[in-house]
Amino acid sequence: MPLLDKILGERATLYDYELMVGEDGKRVLAFGKFAGRAGLIDFLHGLGRRYLNLGFSTPFLSLGSSHMYPSLAAAKAAVMSVGEEISTMGLPIEICPIVFVFTGTGNVSLGAQEIFKLLPHTFVDPSMLPELADKQVRDQAGRGHQSKRVFQVYGCVVSCQHIVAPKDPEKNFDKDEYYAYPERYDPVFHEKIAPHASVIVNCMYWEKRFPRLLSSKQLRDLTSKGCPLVGIGDITCDIGGSMEFINRTTSMEQPFFRYNAMTNSYHDDMAGDGVICLAVDILPTEFPKEASKHFGDILSKFVGNLARGKTLSELPPFLRRACISFEGKLTKLYEYVLRMRTPAISSRNTTNGSVQQKNYTKVVSLSGHLFDQFLINEALDIIEAANGSFRLIKCEVGQNTDHVSYSELEVGAEDCRTLDQILDSLASIAFRKCGILHKEKNTSPFTCRTSFEVTEENGEIMSCSPKVLILGAGHVCQPAVDLLASAGRMFSGNVFRSWEQFDGSEIDDVHVIVASLYLKDAVEITSGISNARAMQLDVTDEDSLSRLISDVDVVISLLPYSFHVPIARNCIELKKHLVTTSYVDDSMLELDGKARSVGVTILCEMGLDPGIDHMMAMKMIDLVHEKNGKVSKFSSYCGGIPAPEAADNPMAYKFSWNPAGAIKAGRNSATYKYCGETIQVNGNDLYASASRFRLPELPAFALECLPNRNSLAYGDLYGIKTEALTIFRGTLRYEGFSEIMGTLASMGLFDAEPHPMLREIPRPRFPALLNNLLKAYETLPLACNDDEIARRIISLGHCKKLETALTTVKTIKFLGLDEDKEIPISCQSTFDISCQLMQDKLTYSSCEKDMVILHHDLEVEFPEEKRVESHRATLLEFGRAQDGKMTSAMALTVGIPAAIGALLLLKNRIKTAGVIRPLSPEVYNPALEILEACGVRLVEKVEVLS
């Protein structure tokens, strides 16, 4: 969509070559055959290596990968040579019959079959696969002395009618029905086809609403039964798709990985148990000359028309149909794109530019040829003509005209009668146009489900579900929405034992409203969740804020802490509970009396740190005190850091939040108590102090710890001020982080004062600044090697160890401080520069995981029993990937506790009013239990010391 916006903004004309189809409906421009050709050649190359590791020498071993040959013709000649050797020398009978199963009948499959046919082969019908092995035994018996070799391979082409079967045994397979209603079919590929395959060449288009070809469990079952499957060439390369266990792409240089289904493990070698998997996603580039020539030869035929066409009507029909935008405007066939991105809402439904929800809404599911036959346009026309509204919830677009698409729209209207009229009109399209509206449980082509309703009298929401307002749509919001929106299903499934402690009534899925200054962020979070909706809101607009708060049961504020007090005042006035994840400050504490007087709970510090750390600590401390023990030492460590595999830079750190905040936090002073002595650390010495703290209790990670501000305050908070000789709280990082940051700070890279060089015009370049910081005004960083620069850093007193200096040099170069580029004009200090570079270079990619570690270490004394124990509790959480989307561990461990706090308040589980923290059993007992049910698990360990 950003690309489309750019094209429209530049008044460009855009053609989609995939939409250029001839009179027969087939594409005239496609790379599919080249993908199929290259994919099968690559797989045959790997097949030879795999058989060799299994103890069998085959002619495949002499074949190279596609990109090793100078041309497609040369590669085909090499395959033909392998075929001649099979015809002459044969294949070992122990691995025969070698059966290649090709899924799909399109260009990709045809390209793969083209290469396969260069080998001596026989194609068999899928129904004949079970008999193939027996037939070969009979054939070999008649050949006498040649019975130990087989002189051909077998092929089998399967399509959708071979991979699924109707759930209703009385019905036959119907392709149109399957595409429209895949839930009416059961997968059978793993039962009827896969048990007889040696190689699966996957060329079939797949969407997640269809059954998988092979799941991880199905492959494990097949393996346990002795299935002959050797490998899978996934030319479609749908990661985590039709082949569930293919979880990554591979490169041309290393095209295979080995998957062991029995241990669910992945390996980069060819030796060992499992199947080899090919998943190269740029296969046509292995034949660059031929693929480019093929594309160019066809495209050149259209250049004249493209150049001459001054208006859209002058173009041939097939080009007109493929034109998405003409001179910066979407063409008629594709106007629905903007309409679905920005739903049409009448002027009567907007106030001060903000979107207002329609009074009545229902969710409609549509499937069929929505886009290629432009049925979606008709549907949107009907909605808009009735002055209704719509919001796109879900959209899965078919690959070509043979495949259907699926969408879900939330349709809204001002009154029930208008909404019914809209739905009736949509239903008429459904019956007239072969059923575009999808029904899950019966044969009707029409379905809709109620999202929520409001009264006609005053326009207020009248949903029977409890309502929670979330203010802010940042990265921690999604887990909170997901938990609240599915709470009813989780509780009804007896997921949470603690629910039995409540009032016995059931809870519905919570209706969630996400309000943000930026509507698109809220829409993205609520998309696809029927009982969640997005709203645009400026929280400084007190009237709008009050109206919204008055209509819900609980408010969660995920905004910066400076907004919390005004929001809290509003909640107290309207008698609504509030949850925040931020620290309690004096201005918030001033509201305690007012909140208690009206019975309102302001639950603060309900995140990770603060939040889960409080609950873990108080559970441990309260149990000790109940047994007449005392806590003599209390240490708490918490950190959000990259998972080990993502710690791939010299600092072993990445930012999931603003680098400026992290750098400033590293300059805060700290106070803690150690063995009865109060120790204060100046902010300038904070990084140096980290070397005193290591965590031997977590041997899997080499971690260090920075003292975290005022630890002594937690003595009062946790009731251990007089008994604990050690009270320490710290922030975790990988070992070496503090030394690097300390060295960079010493060099002046975090100075917030304007730097004299940055006032110069023209702007200085990075090497000039680095030379200045290292007091080398010539070309030291660019001319010298790392050792020389490191020695300069040491000689200037920025650090003492050569290892630290060398790692600092690597960090400098990783950040780009040695690159010959102009320093951005927005940077006026070295602090600005460091923040900018770290923001650019030290961020998580969409597929990288972060890691959260929270660890409490208590030494406990029981005087009456003269016993000393070590009590430890550890939370270790990693980012989670689902449906191709990564949710960070930080978001999970902050967002989920906030949602739990709201649930406890909804069910009146928290009786205490006023400004509170999660320090009491009424909060931490059920909250920790629900947290564990959500997959965030705490591991506790008790060890007797003496």
Side-chain angles (χ1 to χ4, degrees), residues 713-747:
Y714 290 80
D716 287 321
L717 208 58
Y718 295 164
I720 56 173
K721 179 179 180 180
T722 58
E723 62 190 76
L725 298 177
T726 293
I727 302 176
F728 176 84
R729 296 180 78 252
T731 303
L732 295 175
R733 296 288 183 264
Y734 285 112
E735 277 192 4
F737 173 85
S738 296
E739 290 181 342
I740 296 170
M741 292 291 283
T743 304
L744 294 176
S746 176
M747 290 171 58

mmCIF file of all heavy atoms in Angstrom, residues 713-747:
data_model
loop_
_atom_site.group_PDB
_atom_site.id
_atom_site.type_symbol
_atom_site.label_atom_id
_atom_site.label_comp_id
_atom_site.label_asym_id
_atom_site.label_seq_id
_atom_site.Cartn_x
_atom_site.Cartn_y
_atom_site.Cartn_z
ATOM 1 N N ALA A 713 13.672 1.739 48.205
ATOM 2 C CA ALA A 713 12.233 1.988 48.305
ATOM 3 C C ALA A 713 11.449 0.687 48.359
ATOM 4 O O ALA A 713 10.333 0.644 48.912
ATOM 5 C CB ALA A 713 11.771 2.832 47.113
ATOM 6 N N TYR A 714 12.006 -0.379 47.826
ATOM 7 C CA TYR A 714 11.296 -1.649 47.794
ATOM 8 C C TYR A 714 11.353 -2.364 49.145
ATOM 9 O O TYR A 714 10.582 -3.299 49.377
ATOM 10 C CB TYR A 714 11.852 -2.533 46.677
ATOM 11 C CG TYR A 714 11.474 -1.985 45.322
ATOM 12 C CD1 TYR A 714 12.175 -0.932 44.767
ATOM 13 C CD2 TYR A 714 10.376 -2.479 44.637
ATOM 14 C CE1 TYR A 714 11.809 -0.386 43.539
ATOM 15 C CE2 TYR A 714 9.995 -1.949 43.412
ATOM 16 C CZ TYR A 714 10.723 -0.895 42.873
ATOM 17 O OH TYR A 714 10.349 -0.354 41.669
ATOM 18 N N GLY A 715 12.238 -1.931 50.014
ATOM 19 C CA GLY A 715 12.217 -2.454 51.382
ATOM 20 C C GLY A 715 10.925 -2.089 52.072
ATOM 21 O O GLY A 715 10.270 -2.921 52.723
ATOM 22 N N ASP A 716 10.505 -0.826 51.948
ATOM 23 C CA ASP A 716 9.228 -0.382 52.504
ATOM 24 C C ASP A 716 8.069 -1.040 51.767
ATOM 25 O O ASP A 716 7.110 -1.523 52.387
ATOM 26 C CB ASP A 716 9.104 1.139 52.401
ATOM 27 C CG ASP A 716 9.991 1.854 53.393
ATOM 28 O OD1 ASP A 716 10.105 1.372 54.527
ATOM 29 O OD2 ASP A 716 10.582 2.885 53.019
ATOM 30 N N LEU A 717 8.138 -1.065 50.445
ATOM 31 C CA LEU A 717 7.039 -1.561 49.633
ATOM 32 C C LEU A 717 6.749 -3.037 49.927
ATOM 33 O O LEU A 717 5.590 -3.461 50.005
ATOM 34 C CB LEU A 717 7.388 -1.388 48.150
ATOM 35 C CG LEU A 717 6.239 -1.212 47.163
ATOM 36 C CD1 LEU A 717 5.375 -0.025 47.517
ATOM 37 C CD2 LEU A 717 6.802 -1.050 45.745
ATOM 38 N N TYR A 718 7.803 -3.818 50.108
ATOM 39 C CA TYR A 718 7.645 -5.267 50.302
ATOM 40 C C TYR A 718 7.659 -5.680 51.771
ATOM 41 O O TYR A 718 7.555 -6.871 52.081
ATOM 42 C CB TYR A 718 8.761 -6.020 49.571
ATOM 43 C CG TYR A 718 8.734 -5.882 48.053
ATOM 44 C CD1 TYR A 718 9.840 -6.224 47.287
ATOM 45 C CD2 TYR A 718 7.605 -5.404 47.385
ATOM 46 C CE1 TYR A 718 9.833 -6.109 45.902
ATOM 47 C CE2 TYR A 718 7.581 -5.277 46.016
ATOM 48 C CZ TYR A 718 8.699 -5.632 45.273
ATOM 49 O OH TYR A 718 8.686 -5.512 43.905
ATOM 50 N N GLY A 719 7.805 -4.708 52.675
ATOM 51 C CA GLY A 719 7.779 -5.024 54.102
ATOM 52 C C GLY A 719 9.016 -5.768 54.595
ATOM 53 O O GLY A 719 8.930 -6.564 55.534
ATOM 54 N N ILE A 720 10.185 -5.510 53.994
ATOM 55 C CA ILE A 720 11.410 -6.217 54.399
ATOM 56 C C ILE A 720 12.524 -5.232 54.747
ATOM 57 O O ILE A 720 13.701 -5.603 54.806
ATOM 58 C CB ILE A 720 11.901 -7.163 53.281
ATOM 59 C CG1 ILE A 720 12.119 -6.389 51.967
ATOM 60 C CG2 ILE A 720 10.911 -8.303 53.069
ATOM 61 C CD1 ILE A 720 12.760 -7.240 50.868
ATOM 62 N N LYS A 721 12.152 -3.978 55.001
ATOM 63 C CA LYS A 721 13.161 -2.940 55.213
ATOM 64 C C LYS A 721 14.075 -3.248 56.388
ATOM 65 O O LYS A 721 15.301 -3.078 56.313
ATOM 66 C CB LYS A 721 12.462 -1.592 55.431
ATOM 67 C CG LYS A 721 13.416 -0.437 55.687
ATOM 68 C CD LYS A 721 12.646 0.861 55.858
ATOM 69 C CE LYS A 721 13.591 2.022 56.123
ATOM 70 N NZ LYS A 721 12.845 3.305 56.298
ATOM 71 N N THR A 722 13.491 -3.718 57.484
ATOM 72 C CA THR A 722 14.290 -3.928 58.696
ATOM 73 C C THR A 722 14.967 -5.291 58.739
ATOM 74 O O THR A 722 15.929 -5.471 59.483
ATOM 75 C CB THR A 722 13.399 -3.775 59.938
ATOM 76 O OG1 THR A 722 12.320 -4.725 59.861
ATOM 77 C CG2 THR A 722 12.833 -2.372 60.022
ATOM 78 N N GLU A 723 14.488 -6.245 57.961
ATOM 79 C CA GLU A 723 15.037 -7.597 58.064
ATOM 80 C C GLU A 723 16.068 -7.928 56.986
ATOM 81 O O GLU A 723 16.918 -8.794 57.176
ATOM 82 C CB GLU A 723 13.913 -8.630 58.014
ATOM 83 C CG GLU A 723 13.106 -8.625 56.707
ATOM 84 C CD GLU A 723 11.852 -9.483 56.805
ATOM 85 O OE1 GLU A 723 10.876 -9.023 57.441
ATOM 86 O OE2 GLU A 723 11.861 -10.590 56.256
ATOM 87 N N ALA A 724 15.987 -7.280 55.825
ATOM 88 C CA ALA A 724 16.860 -7.638 54.705
ATOM 89 C C ALA A 724 18.143 -6.829 54.761
ATOM 90 O O ALA A 724 18.124 -5.598 54.781
ATOM 91 C CB ALA A 724 16.149 -7.409 53.386
ATOM 92 N N LEU A 725 19.279 -7.521 54.791
ATOM 93 C CA LEU A 725 20.579 -6.851 54.772
ATOM 94 C C LEU A 725 21.002 -6.488 53.353
ATOM 95 O O LEU A 725 21.863 -5.634 53.156
ATOM 96 C CB LEU A 725 21.637 -7.760 55.413
ATOM 97 C CG LEU A 725 21.402 -8.112 56.883
ATOM 98 C CD1 LEU A 725 22.465 -9.077 57.379
ATOM 99 C CD2 LEU A 725 21.390 -6.843 57.727
ATOM 100 N N THR A 726 20.409 -7.168 52.369
ATOM 101 C CA THR A 726 20.683 -6.863 50.964
ATOM 102 C C THR A 726 19.349 -6.623 50.252
ATOM 103 O O THR A 726 18.444 -7.461 50.311
ATOM 104 C CB THR A 726 21.429 -8.011 50.263
ATOM 105 O OG1 THR A 726 22.740 -8.129 50.822
ATOM 106 C CG2 THR A 726 21.544 -7.748 48.757
ATOM 107 N N ILE A 727 19.228 -5.474 49.641
ATOM 108 C CA ILE A 727 18.059 -5.165 48.799
ATOM 109 C C ILE A 727 18.601 -4.574 47.502
ATOM 110 O O ILE A 727 19.138 -3.460 47.494
ATOM 111 C CB ILE A 727 17.095 -4.169 49.471
ATOM 112 C CG1 ILE A 727 16.601 -4.715 50.817
ATOM 113 C CG2 ILE A 727 15.908 -3.879 48.551
ATOM 114 C CD1 ILE A 727 15.726 -3.745 51.589
ATOM 115 N N PHE A 728 18.463 -5.335 46.442
ATOM 116 C CA PHE A 728 19.061 -4.918 45.166
ATOM 117 C C PHE A 728 18.115 -5.216 44.015
ATOM 118 O O PHE A 728 17.542 -6.293 43.928
ATOM 119 C CB PHE A 728 20.387 -5.665 44.941
ATOM 120 C CG PHE A 728 21.024 -5.366 43.606
ATOM 121 C CD1 PHE A 728 21.827 -4.251 43.440
ATOM 122 C CD2 PHE A 728 20.814 -6.196 42.503
ATOM 123 C CE1 PHE A 728 22.409 -3.964 42.217
ATOM 124 C CE2 PHE A 728 21.382 -5.917 41.279
ATOM 125 C CZ PHE A 728 22.192 -4.796 41.129
ATOM 126 N N ARG A 729 17.951 -4.234 43.135
ATOM 127 C CA ARG A 729 17.202 -4.426 41.890
ATOM 128 C C ARG A 729 18.083 -3.984 40.730
ATOM 129 O O ARG A 729 18.741 -2.952 40.799
ATOM 130 C CB ARG A 729 15.901 -3.619 41.885
ATOM 131 C CG ARG A 729 14.908 -4.051 42.936
ATOM 132 C CD ARG A 729 13.645 -3.210 42.889
ATOM 133 N NE ARG A 729 12.764 -3.617 41.803
ATOM 134 C CZ ARG A 729 12.557 -2.926 40.694
ATOM 135 N NH1 ARG A 729 13.200 -1.784 40.479
ATOM 136 N NH2 ARG A 729 11.730 -3.360 39.764
ATOM 137 N N GLY A 730 18.095 -4.797 39.666
ATOM 138 C CA GLY A 730 18.985 -4.471 38.561
ATOM 139 C C GLY A 730 18.386 -4.773 37.203
ATOM 140 O O GLY A 730 17.402 -5.508 37.074
ATOM 141 N N THR A 731 18.993 -4.197 36.173
ATOM 142 C CA THR A 731 18.580 -4.369 34.784
ATOM 143 C C THR A 731 19.573 -5.266 34.071
ATOM 144 O O THR A 731 20.782 -5.009 34.104
ATOM 145 C CB THR A 731 18.517 -2.999 34.070
ATOM 146 O OG1 THR A 731 17.615 -2.147 34.782
ATOM 147 C CG2 THR A 731 18.052 -3.167 32.638
ATOM 148 N N LEU A 732 19.068 -6.301 33.399
ATOM 149 C CA LEU A 732 19.928 -7.307 32.771
ATOM 150 C C LEU A 732 20.308 -6.937 31.345
ATOM 151 O O LEU A 732 19.503 -6.415 30.580
ATOM 152 C CB LEU A 732 19.215 -8.667 32.754
ATOM 153 C CG LEU A 732 18.935 -9.312 34.101
ATOM 154 C CD1 LEU A 732 18.110 -10.579 33.918
ATOM 155 C CD2 LEU A 732 20.237 -9.633 34.820
ATOM 156 N N ARG A 733 21.547 -7.249 31.012
ATOM 157 C CA ARG A 733 22.046 -7.175 29.643
ATOM 158 C C ARG A 733 23.029 -8.334 29.446
ATOM 159 O O ARG A 733 23.491 -8.941 30.419
ATOM 160 C CB ARG A 733 22.781 -5.844 29.383
ATOM 161 C CG ARG A 733 21.898 -4.614 29.495
ATOM 162 C CD ARG A 733 20.929 -4.505 28.339
ATOM 163 N NE ARG A 733 20.134 -3.278 28.405
ATOM 164 C CZ ARG A 733 18.931 -3.199 28.912
ATOM 165 N NH1 ARG A 733 18.354 -4.272 29.418
ATOM 166 N NH2 ARG A 733 18.271 -2.061 28.916
ATOM 167 N N TYR A 734 23.339 -8.642 28.196
ATOM 168 C CA TYR A 734 24.393 -9.621 27.949
ATOM 169 C C TYR A 734 25.737 -9.054 28.415
ATOM 170 O O TYR A 734 25.969 -7.832 28.357
ATOM 171 C CB TYR A 734 24.478 -9.969 26.462
ATOM 172 C CG TYR A 734 23.371 -10.875 25.972
ATOM 173 C CD1 TYR A 734 22.405 -10.402 25.084
ATOM 174 C CD2 TYR A 734 23.292 -12.202 26.389
ATOM 175 C CE1 TYR A 734 21.383 -11.224 24.620
ATOM 176 C CE2 TYR A 734 22.272 -13.030 25.936
ATOM 177 C CZ TYR A 734 21.314 -12.541 25.052
ATOM 178 O OH TYR A 734 20.314 -13.360 24.609
ATOM 179 N N GLU A 735 26.626 -9.934 28.856
ATOM 180 C CA GLU A 735 27.942 -9.512 29.317
ATOM 181 C C GLU A 735 28.671 -8.735 28.231
ATOM 182 O O GLU A 735 28.670 -9.124 27.068
ATOM 183 C CB GLU A 735 28.787 -10.724 29.741
ATOM 184 C CG GLU A 735 28.495 -11.190 31.144
ATOM 185 C CD GLU A 735 29.543 -12.181 31.634
ATOM 186 O OE1 GLU A 735 30.519 -12.425 30.896
ATOM 187 O OE2 GLU A 735 29.381 -12.709 32.739
ATOM 188 N N GLY A 736 29.302 -7.644 28.646
ATOM 189 C CA GLY A 736 30.055 -6.812 27.717
ATOM 190 C C GLY A 736 29.318 -5.563 27.291
ATOM 191 O O GLY A 736 29.950 -4.592 26.848
ATOM 192 N N PHE A 737 27.993 -5.559 27.420
ATOM 193 C CA PHE A 737 27.196 -4.404 27.002
ATOM 194 C C PHE A 737 27.620 -3.138 27.745
ATOM 195 O O PHE A 737 27.833 -2.086 27.133
ATOM 196 C CB PHE A 737 25.712 -4.687 27.255
ATOM 197 C CG PHE A 737 24.801 -3.510 27.025
ATOM 198 C CD1 PHE A 737 24.331 -3.224 25.751
ATOM 199 C CD2 PHE A 737 24.422 -2.670 28.065
ATOM 200 C CE1 PHE A 737 23.485 -2.138 25.527
ATOM 201 C CE2 PHE A 737 23.592 -1.585 27.857
ATOM 202 C CZ PHE A 737 23.116 -1.318 26.577
ATOM 203 N N SER A 738 27.760 -3.232 29.061
ATOM 204 C CA SER A 738 28.061 -2.051 29.859
ATOM 205 C C SER A 738 29.443 -1.500 29.552
ATOM 206 O O SER A 738 29.656 -0.278 29.543
ATOM 207 C CB SER A 738 27.951 -2.377 31.351
ATOM 208 O OG SER A 738 26.628 -2.731 31.673
ATOM 209 N N GLU A 739 30.414 -2.402 29.314
ATOM 210 C CA GLU A 739 31.761 -1.929 28.989
ATOM 211 C C GLU A 739 31.765 -1.153 27.677
ATOM 212 O O GLU A 739 32.430 -0.121 27.555
ATOM 213 C CB GLU A 739 32.721 -3.116 28.919
ATOM 214 C CG GLU A 739 32.994 -3.753 30.277
ATOM 215 C CD GLU A 739 33.961 -4.921 30.171
ATOM 216 O OE1 GLU A 739 34.135 -5.443 29.045
ATOM 217 O OE2 GLU A 739 34.551 -5.301 31.195
ATOM 218 N N ILE A 740 31.012 -1.659 26.697
ATOM 219 C CA ILE A 740 30.940 -0.950 25.406
ATOM 220 C C ILE A 740 30.246 0.392 25.583
ATOM 221 O O ILE A 740 30.737 1.435 25.117
ATOM 222 C CB ILE A 740 30.182 -1.798 24.371
ATOM 223 C CG1 ILE A 740 30.950 -3.092 24.083
ATOM 224 C CG2 ILE A 740 29.987 -1.022 23.084
ATOM 225 C CD1 ILE A 740 30.160 -4.082 23.251
ATOM 226 N N MET A 741 29.097 0.397 26.268
ATOM 227 C CA MET A 741 28.358 1.646 26.468
ATOM 228 C C MET A 741 29.172 2.631 27.293
ATOM 229 O O MET A 741 29.171 3.843 27.012
ATOM 230 C CB MET A 741 27.019 1.357 27.148
ATOM 231 C CG MET A 741 26.030 0.588 26.286
ATOM 232 S SD MET A 741 25.404 1.539 24.893
ATOM 233 C CE MET A 741 24.207 2.590 25.711
ATOM 234 N N GLY A 742 29.889 2.126 28.295
ATOM 235 C CA GLY A 742 30.740 3.001 29.102
ATOM 236 C C GLY A 742 31.851 3.624 28.286
ATOM 237 O O GLY A 742 32.182 4.805 28.447
ATOM 238 N N THR A 743 32.437 2.826 27.384
ATOM 239 C CA THR A 743 33.503 3.352 26.526
ATOM 240 C C THR A 743 32.967 4.401 25.566
ATOM 241 O O THR A 743 33.565 5.465 25.376
ATOM 242 C CB THR A 743 34.154 2.199 25.736
ATOM 243 O OG1 THR A 743 34.623 1.202 26.640
ATOM 244 C CG2 THR A 743 35.319 2.708 24.898
ATOM 245 N N LEU A 744 31.814 4.125 24.960
ATOM 246 C CA LEU A 744 31.206 5.102 24.054
ATOM 247 C C LEU A 744 30.851 6.383 24.797
ATOM 248 O O LEU A 744 31.025 7.494 24.269
ATOM 249 C CB LEU A 744 29.955 4.503 23.409
ATOM 250 C CG LEU A 744 30.164 3.323 22.459
ATOM 251 C CD1 LEU A 744 28.814 2.779 21.992
ATOM 252 C CD2 LEU A 744 31.002 3.732 21.258
ATOM 253 N N ALA A 745 30.367 6.240 26.030
ATOM 254 C CA ALA A 745 30.036 7.425 26.832
ATOM 255 C C ALA A 745 31.286 8.227 27.146
ATOM 256 O O ALA A 745 31.286 9.465 27.069
ATOM 257 C CB ALA A 745 29.322 7.003 28.113
ATOM 258 N N SER A 746 32.358 7.519 27.487
ATOM 259 C CA SER A 746 33.621 8.199 27.788
ATOM 260 C C SER A 746 34.159 8.950 26.581
ATOM 261 O O SER A 746 34.759 10.018 26.710
ATOM 262 C CB SER A 746 34.650 7.178 28.278
ATOM 263 O OG SER A 746 35.909 7.781 28.504
ATOM 264 N N MET A 747 33.923 8.412 25.390
ATOM 265 C CA MET A 747 34.361 9.070 24.157
ATOM 266 C C MET A 747 33.520 10.308 23.845
ATOM 267 O O MET A 747 33.882 11.099 22.973
ATOM 268 C CB MET A 747 34.267 8.089 22.986
ATOM 269 C CG MET A 747 35.293 6.980 23.025
ATOM 270 S SD MET A 747 34.967 5.721 21.774
ATOM 271 C CE MET A 747 34.994 6.705 20.279
#
